[in-house]
Amino acid sequence: MALSREQMAQRVARELKDGYYVNLGIGIPTLVANYVPDGIEVMLQSENGLLGMGQFPTEDEVDADMINAGKQTVTAITGASIFSSADSFAMIRGGHVDLTVLGAFEVDTQGNIASWMVPGKLIKGMGGAMDLVAGADNIIVTMTHASKHGESKLLSECSLPLTGAGCIKRVLTDLAFIEIKEGKFWLLERAPGVSVEEIVEKTAGEIVVPEHVPEMAF
Amino acid sequence: MALSREQMAQRVARELKDGYYVNLGIGIPTLVANYVPDGIEVMLQSENGLLGMGQFPTEDEVDADMINAGKQTVTAITGASIFSSADSFAMIRGGHVDLTVLGAFEVDTQGNIASWMVPGKLIKGMGGAMDLVAGADNIIVTMTHASKHGESKLLSECSLPLTGAGCIKRVLTDLAFIEIKEGKFWLLERAPGVSVEEIVEKTAGEIVVPEHVPEMAF
Amino acid sequence: MSGFDKVVDSYEEALAGLDNNMTVLAGGFGLCGIPEGCIAQIKRMGVRGLTVVSNNCGVDGFGLGVLLEDKQISKMVSSYVGENALFEKQMMEGELEVELTPQGTLAEKLRAGGAGIPAFYTATGFGTPIGEGKESRQFDGRDYILEESITGDFAIVKGWKADRYGNVIYRHTAQNFNPMVATAGKITVVEVEEIVEPGELDPSQIQTPGIYVNRVVLGNFEKRIEQRTVRQADA
Amino acid sequence: MSGFDKVVDSYEEALAGLDNNMTVLAGGFGLCGIPEGCIAQIKRMGVRGLTVVSNNCGVDGFGLGVLLEDKQISKMVSSYVGENALFEKQMMEGELEVELTPQGTLAEKLRAGGAGIPAFYTATGFGTPIGEGKESRQFDGRDYILEESITGDFAIVKGWKADRYGNVIYRHTAQNFNPMVATAGKITVVEVEEIVEPGELDPSQIQTPGIYVNRVVLGNFEKRIEQRTVRQADA
């Protein structure tokens, strides 16, 4: 069965390591914070200028001057630091964030990602996404494997305008965990009960399937 | 008579305006701070990261962590700010300093300045001088009009390696106050008792002399 | 030090000289840390044809959004502008030009503008529509695009506290774009919640030194919250 | 948060992994705010062939000058190096390569190195020996040269206080090059006068966030003064 949003977040959370500074995008990536494994501590970077983002405030703690990149009211953990947007993106662009998790419309076998613009539809802007994908060495993209109409989002070449070129190495979909290298997708794991055949069928770009494909367990 | 170092500083100080942020180089420029006219307040920028440099400390106030760009112990005035070298030179390079005063070996009619290196002699480095001359719109160079051997330092073309190209508009020497524009020197004022003839004779580059050349008064 | 006293008594004085067709740089992220009073004054002044550089354009009826009501903005330079129906409408109808710029590139362009750096290379946007028409080159085998700096006629900034000399500190994440914007305006106006005497702010903790600031004005702030997210207090 | 505890117990641990022919970035201006303990440890380790990037190279017998005694430095990147007889001698005899870089350009190269900006344009040095062989171009009618960023294998930094997470603040003008150096090392080591617990430093006042810092070590500092200038106390 396809992974739920929570399961996707849970699977991504297993990639966290103790001491990681992590930037989580909006949507499923945000949920990853709820599944940090025991014994592991991570610090969340919010690109509006906060390192060490905490939980939402209580009603009493709400402070208009304390928000995250999603413009939500948040708190800061003990030991957090707060800085300007230029300093925040110096951190991001300079490759100092250990892991970035973000959503996408499409990725392709070249590691390209499209996530910000659909021609003909209203374009709201890329926000910090282009900086995040260009700056990070270690990115996990989370998205559904195919659109509601069954069209694959894992392509040989993105059809939408790119957010970044050649920067994505790992994708977690609701069906599979996939690595991108040497111009191909490589199937690493499959969702519980999802067949390799279904994954291959729903992957438009070239995909390499090893002899044994482990099933994720939750 | 040629101006003393103190008189040179005093003359430069008359160019100060209330509210000016000023960077003073080592030597005669440093003395300018002693002659700030009544009713005028300036704030001194020291390029190691201090805006609002104060006087030297008393013995009791000496603090190894509080120095100026000449590596001298200093104090900070009330209302000073302290920042990194990158931020300090952002200020300088970005043209936010209102007046920069510094010494030189030579200047020429193109506004070029040579102040940091004599081929064949030990080269210590340019420190912040290249940034200062490139960043400032408003610079006054202070130097003697001629070398000890009587050789003019106001040339049609600098003979020494440059510190900056086309950036100097005003020079105060021990003999004259001179403007540089349209590829020529323009004599503005002469030191008390110094003749126009002497100035012209000691100026190697083309110099324009107006009908009346005011004498400086002290 | 009268020459360094930057405090003005009104927003009229604070924005004196702002005229049609100028470029205005505005601090803030979403509705957080925005110069509310300066925006209101710009609306009152009725100046038009403005190019506004700001990460976002407020919401309908608040923040920079209010300048859309009388079509005072002709061009926005932003990274994200989607929170505003009037914005959409004017953009769709071609009344409002929009130059989308990646958030980090926008922050760096403003910093560069203040720091006398005319242009810099960044990997952000290479191979995307943002890189099209821009010069690109490789360093160490990686592709980068050339981005030029931004400066403005006026910078409007929201600080927390400022002293009379224009030294400013910001509160929490209301810092955001404000420090860079403050460096990049020909005339920089800072509105604050509190004006203090020189010496009250620790010199090493000043985030915008007074050299960048032309005018300081005491403001009143609504501080509207865009996404009020809360958790239950622990029992 | 054990994964974020950056404190190590000794300078041996702090500089573990430093090897011959590496590039070391060092904070400090003159003898102010220099990482005294790290320098002493590099001397003890005896590593050689180092490229050292630092505004100055100390004096004879103190600061980076001590690394000259056993010829551990093969190249210095600095803006001003004149305070040191041994330095002169090694430079004159060709044992020590020196790359002079304008002070502001050096600061910006280090900032750029940490910030993922491979190169930027500056007017500083155009038309001088520093601009020779460098690409130049005009923006808005003015000439600029292209300068590339600097990063290093190790960054050695002198802070005032750090918490266990590696958040650092600096004291007065001992800040100088330290914050930029801290961002540009593959491994960044910060030695401080005091280690405090997380939360003791105000988040908005942290000058180097812990994300840049790999190791924090408690030091003892001589803080030698290069130019002791004093005035008479007022009567």
Side-chain angles (χ1 to χ4, degrees):
Chain A
M1 220 173 70
L3 300 184
S4 66
R5 288 162 55 90
E6 283 70 23
Q7 285 174 316
M8 289 176 69
Q10 211 174 332
R11 178 62 195 85
V12 170
R14 291 179 195 159
E15 300 302 310
L16 299 173
K17 290 186 183 151
D18 197 29
Y20 260 19
Y21 297 95
V22 181
N23 186 294
L24 301 176
I26 290 170
I28 293 168
T30 303
L31 300 176
V32 172
N34 300 334
Y35 297 99
V36 179
D38 285 346
I40 287 192
E41 304 273 4
V42 300
M43 213 179 278
L44 301 179
Q45 207 263 9
S46 189
E47 65 264 27
N48 58 316
L50 170 59
L51 182 66
M53 179 166 60
Q55 47 189 343
F56 291 141
T58 61
E59 273 294 344
D60 290 349
E61 289 169 344
V62 167
D63 186 331
D65 290 339
M66 197 66 207
I67 66 167
N68 65 16
K71 286 144 193 167
Q72 298 170 311
T73 47
V74 290
T75 58
I77 63 163
T78 299
S81 52
I82 297 174
F83 31 81
S84 73
S85 301
D87 286 345
S88 183
F89 283 94
M91 218 171 258
I92 289 167
R93 199 189 307 101
H96 303 280
V97 174
D98 296 302
L99 176 65
T100 293
V101 186
L102 78 174
F105 302 146
E106 299 173 347
V107 297
D108 69 26
T109 50
Q110 303 308 311
N112 297 324
I113 173 173
S115 66
W116 71 287
M117 156 181 189
V118 178
K121 287 198 182 173
L122 182 75
I123 299 159
K124 292 190 167 191
M126 72 295 284
M130 284 192 183
D131 307 280
L132 282 161
V133 297
D137 236 11
N138 190 14
I139 302 171
I140 299 177
V141 167
T142 59
M143 60 178 193
T144 55
H145 209 96
S147 73
K148 283 173 195 163
H149 312 293
E151 284 157 5
S152 178
K153 296 180 175 180
L154 292 127
L155 309 173
S156 56
E157 195 182 335
C158 286
S159 67
L160 298 170
L162 298 187
T163 308
C167 48
I168 306 301
K169 293 178 194 137
R170 293 193 291 174
V171 185
L172 180 78
T173 73
D174 53 341
L175 303 184
F177 196 25
I178 283 169
E179 190 180 357
I180 305 174
K181 64 178 181 189
E182 298 161 17
K184 302 186 181 86
F185 295 123
W186 299 69
L187 182 55
L188 299 179
E189 297 174 23
R190 59 199 168 92
V194 170
S195 69
V196 167
E197 289 67 30
E198 182 182 350
I199 294 166
V200 170
E201 189 211 329
K202 290 187 172 164
T203 305
E206 183 180 354
I207 182 164
V208 179
V209 180
E211 213 164 310
H212 175 66
V213 182
E215 200 175 63
M216 299 174 206
F218 291 91
Chain B
M1 220 174 70
L3 300 184
S4 66
R5 289 162 55 88
E6 284 70 22
Q7 285 174 315
M8 288 176 69
Q10 212 175 330
R11 178 61 195 87
V12 169
R14 292 179 195 160
E15 300 301 311
L16 298 173
K17 291 188 181 147
D18 196 29
Y20 260 20
Y21 297 95
V22 180
N23 186 294
L24 301 176
I26 290 171
I28 293 169
T30 303
L31 301 176
V32 172
N34 300 334
Y35 297 99
V36 179
D38 285 346
I40 287 194
E41 305 272 4
V42 300
M43 213 180 278
L44 301 180
Q45 207 264 8
S46 189
E47 64 264 28
N48 58 317
L50 170 59
L51 182 67
M53 180 167 58
Q55 46 189 344
F56 292 142
T58 63
E59 273 294 345
D60 289 349
E61 289 170 344
V62 167
D63 186 330
D65 291 338
M66 196 68 206
I67 67 167
N68 66 16
K71 286 142 194 168
Q72 300 170 312
T73 47
V74 290
T75 57
I77 64 164
T78 299
S81 52
I82 297 174
F83 31 81
S84 74
S85 301
D87 286 345
S88 183
F89 282 95
M91 218 171 259
I92 289 167
R93 199 189 306 103
H96 303 281
V97 174
D98 296 302
L99 175 66
T100 294
V101 185
L102 80 174
F105 301 146
E106 298 172 348
V107 297
D108 70 24
T109 49
Q110 302 309 311
N112 298 323
I113 173 172
S115 66
W116 71 287
M117 154 179 192
V118 179
K121 289 200 180 171
L122 182 76
I123 299 160
K124 293 190 166 192
M126 71 295 285
M130 284 193 183
D131 306 281
L132 282 161
V133 297
D137 235 10
N138 188 14
I139 302 171
I140 299 177
V141 167
T142 60
M143 60 177 193
T144 56
H145 209 96
S147 74
K148 284 172 195 164
H149 312 293
E151 284 158 3
S152 177
K153 298 180 175 180
L154 292 127
L155 309 173
S156 56
E157 195 180 336
C158 286
S159 67
L160 297 170
L162 297 187
T163 308
C167 47
I168 306 301
K169 292 177 196 139
R170 292 193 292 174
V171 185
L172 180 78
T173 73
D174 53 343
L175 303 185
F177 196 25
I178 284 169
E179 190 179 359
I180 306 174
K181 63 179 181 189
E182 299 162 17
K184 302 185 183 84
F185 296 123
W186 299 70
L187 181 56
L188 300 179
E189 297 174 24
R190 57 198 170 94
V194 171
S195 69
V196 167
E197 289 67 31
E198 181 182 351
I199 294 166
V200 169
E201 188 210 329
K202 290 187 172 165
T203 304
E206 181 179 358
I207 183 164
V208 179
V209 179
E211 213 164 309
H212 174 66
V213 182
E215 200 176 63
M216 297 175 206
F218 292 91
Chain C
M1 298 185 80
S2 61
F4 293 97
D5 190 345
K6 314 286 176 79
V7 177
V8 297
D9 292 328
S10 67
Y11 280 100
E12 286 74 16
E13 260 186 275
L15 289 179
L18 177 64
D19 210 342
N20 294 337
N21 307 313
M22 280 188 168
T23 295
V24 177
L25 318 176
F29 181 89
L31 302 182
C32 181
I34 59 173
E36 298 181 17
C38 286
I39 294 167
Q41 174 62 18
I42 294 173
K43 182 165 172 69
R44 279 193 297 274
M45 290 170 80
V47 290
R48 299 171 64 84
L50 298 176
T51 294
V52 177
V53 180
S54 176
N55 190 56
N56 314 94
C57 192
V59 296
D60 289 306
F62 195 71
L64 289 167
V66 304
L67 302 184
L68 298 168
E69 295 163 4
D70 302 319
K71 300 185 184 172
Q72 292 178 264
I73 304 176
S74 62
K75 180 178 175 182
M76 274 305 297
V77 180
S78 301
S79 86
Y80 194 81
V81 288
E83 318 294 2
N84 203 315
L86 195 52
F87 190 99
E88 280 182 34
K89 181 170 171 294
Q90 292 183 12
M91 182 169 70
M92 290 303 200
E93 291 174 1
E95 295 174 320
L96 177 60
E97 187 188 345
V98 179
E99 183 177 322
L100 288 172
T101 303
Q103 196 174 136
T105 297
L106 182 60
E108 192 66 18
K109 278 170 167 263
L110 289 162
R111 179 192 176 274
I117 292 172
F120 58 90
Y121 283 95
T122 177
T124 300
F126 177 83
T128 78
I130 294 307
E132 278 166 28
K134 285 180 185 148
E135 204 174 310
S136 74
R137 67 187 280 172
Q138 289 202 331
F139 294 92
D140 234 347
R142 194 168 179 206
D143 295 301
Y144 297 85
I145 59 174
L146 185 66
E147 292 280 8
E148 297 195 15
S149 65
I150 294 176
T151 57
D153 298 297
F154 271 77
I156 55 175
V157 170
K158 160 65 174 64
W160 180 25
K161 298 180 186 183
D163 67 23
R164 297 197 156 266
Y165 295 175
N167 294 308
V168 184
I169 61 170
Y170 304 93
R171 189 165 174 275
H172 303 333
T173 60
Q175 183 175 171
N176 56 61
F177 281 79
N178 282 297
M180 288 76 70
V181 160
T183 68
K186 281 198 200 92
I187 294 180
T188 291
V189 180
V190 182
E191 53 178 86
V192 294
E193 297 176 45
E194 192 182 340
I195 292 173
V196 300
E197 289 307 309
E200 288 189 47
L201 304 176
D202 176 348
S204 291
Q205 305 293 15
I206 287 165
Q207 290 158 320
T208 294
I211 196 170
Y212 293 111
V213 176
N214 300 87
R215 303 167 191 171
V216 172
V217 60
L218 185 65
N220 254 315
F221 300 90
E222 175 184 336
K223 293 197 186 180
R224 195 182 291 186
I225 291 174
E226 206 162 342
Q227 302 277 348
R228 189 184 190 89
T229 44
V230 296
R231 72 174 203 280
Q232 292 301 312
D234 301 329
Chain D
M1 296 182 82
S2 61
F4 293 97
D5 190 344
K6 313 286 175 79
V7 177
V8 297
D9 293 328
S10 67
Y11 281 99
E12 288 74 15
E13 259 185 276
L15 288 179
L18 177 63
D19 210 342
N20 293 337
N21 307 313
M22 280 186 169
T23 296
V24 177
L25 319 176
F29 181 88
L31 302 181
C32 180
I34 60 173
E36 298 180 18
C38 286
I39 294 167
Q41 174 62 17
I42 293 173
K43 182 166 171 66
R44 280 192 298 274
M45 290 169 82
V47 289
R48 297 171 65 84
L50 298 176
T51 295
V52 176
V53 180
S54 177
N55 191 55
N56 316 92
C57 193
V59 296
D60 289 306
F62 195 71
L64 289 167
V66 304
L67 301 184
L68 299 168
E69 294 163 5
D70 302 319
K71 302 185 182 171
Q72 293 179 265
I73 303 177
S74 62
K75 180 177 176 182
M76 273 306 296
V77 180
S78 301
S79 86
Y80 194 82
V81 289
E83 318 293 2
N84 202 317
L86 194 52
F87 189 98
E88 280 182 31
K89 183 170 170 293
Q90 293 184 12
M91 183 170 67
M92 291 303 200
E93 292 174 1
E95 295 175 322
L96 177 60
E97 185 188 345
V98 179
E99 183 177 322
L100 289 172
T101 304
Q103 196 174 136
T105 297
L106 183 60
E108 192 65 18
K109 279 170 167 265
L110 289 162
R111 180 191 177 273
I117 291 172
F120 58 90
Y121 283 95
T122 177
T124 301
F126 176 83
T128 79
I130 295 307
E132 278 167 27
K134 285 179 185 151
E135 202 174 311
S136 75
R137 66 187 281 172
Q138 292 203 331
F139 293 93
D140 234 348
R142 193 165 179 208
D143 294 302
Y144 297 85
I145 58 174
L146 186 66
E147 293 279 8
E148 296 196 16
S149 66
I150 294 177
T151 56
D153 298 299
F154 271 77
I156 56 175
V157 170
K158 160 68 172 65
W160 180 24
K161 299 181 185 182
D163 67 23
R164 298 197 156 266
Y165 296 175
N167 295 307
V168 184
I169 62 171
Y170 304 93
R171 189 165 174 276
H172 302 333
T173 60
Q175 183 175 168
N176 56 60
F177 281 79
N178 281 298
M180 289 76 71
V181 160
T183 67
K186 280 198 200 92
I187 295 181
T188 291
V189 180
V190 182
E191 54 179 85
V192 293
E193 298 176 45
E194 191 182 341
I195 292 173
V196 301
E197 289 306 309
E200 289 189 46
L201 305 176
D202 177 348
S204 291
Q205 305 293 16
I206 287 164
Q207 289 158 321
T208 294
I211 195 170
Y212 293 111
V213 176
N214 301 89
R215 303 167 191 171
V216 173
V217 60
L218 186 65
N220 255 314
F221 300 89
E222 177 185 334
K223 291 197 187 181
R224 195 181 291 186
I225 291 174
E226 206 162 342
Q227 304 276 350
R228 189 184 190 90
T229 44
V230 296
R231 72 173 203 280
Q232 293 300 313
D234 300 327

